[in-house]
Amino acid sequence: MKLEAGWAGLYENTPDHNALIGRAHTPRNFLYATGFSGHGFLQAPAVGELVTDLFLERDSFMDPHPFRADRFRDAEALSEIHII
Ligand SMILES: Cc1cc2nc3c(=O)[nH]c(=O)nc-3n(C[C@H](O)[C@H](O)[C@H](O)COP(=O)(O)OP(=O)(O)OC[C@H]3O[C@@H](n4cnc5c(N)ncnc54)[C@H](O)[C@@H]3O)c2cc1C
């Protein structure tokens, strides 16, 4: 049969397959939530809560610190800690 249409998407993987969520120092106050490594839909409601709380600078239901982008400066952080 002739192919009528096609679609392809790429996983945006991080080295430990966990997301990057946090507030960057440069550019100052830049909030990021990306790198969901193929699990971004299922995490979306929780990530929305987390990013809202980061924006409002209030405590959230969980600590976003383990998801900070600069965790890869520490070699020990490369082991997968939130296996989904
Ligand atoms: C084949 C496949 C299957 C998947 N299956 C699942 C699954 O079963 N369950 C699950 O939880 N997750 C799944 N995922 C992962 C999920 O799709 C992603 O983690 C999620 O969509 C990421 O959301 P996002 O908002 O971070 O990025 P995206 O959905 O990629 O959104 C980023 C948006 O930014 C836009 N953009 C990019 N650059 C610019 C620019 N310079 N200016 C303006 N806009 C820009 C893009 O066009 C895009 O609309 C799958 C992914 C793929 C590829």
Side-chain angles (χ1 to χ4, degrees), residues 7-12 33-43:
W7 176 90
L10 300 176
Y11 284 3
E12 74 292 19
T34 187
F36 294 101
S37 307
H39 305 298
F41 281 134
L42 66 86
Q43 296 180 63

Side-chain angles (χ1 to χ4, degrees), residues 11 13 16-17 22 28 54:
Y11 284 3
N13 285 346
D16 63 2
H17 290 205
R28 193 166 165 267
L54 275 171

Side-chain angles (χ1 to χ4, degrees), residues 6-81:
W7 176 90
L10 300 176
Y11 284 3
E12 74 292 19
N13 285 346
T14 63
D16 63 2
H17 290 205
N18 291 307
L20 305 168
I21 304 170
R23 182 188 304 274
H25 300 297
T26 51
R28 193 166 165 267
N29 272 336
F30 177 77
L31 295 178
Y32 54 87
T34 187
F36 294 101
S37 307
H39 305 298
F41 281 134
L42 66 86
Q43 296 180 63
V47 172
E49 294 273 334
L50 204 51
V51 173
T52 299
D53 293 336
L54 275 171
F55 178 77
L56 296 174
E57 297 184 342
R58 65 187 184 196
D59 288 341
S60 198
F61 67 98
M62 66 174 288
D63 178 11
H65 191 69
F67 296 104
R68 71 199 184 284
D70 64 4
R71 68 180 181 268
F72 299 114
R73 290 188 188 142
D74 177 3
E76 285 181 24
L78 289 175
S79 60
E80 202 166 338
I81 53 172

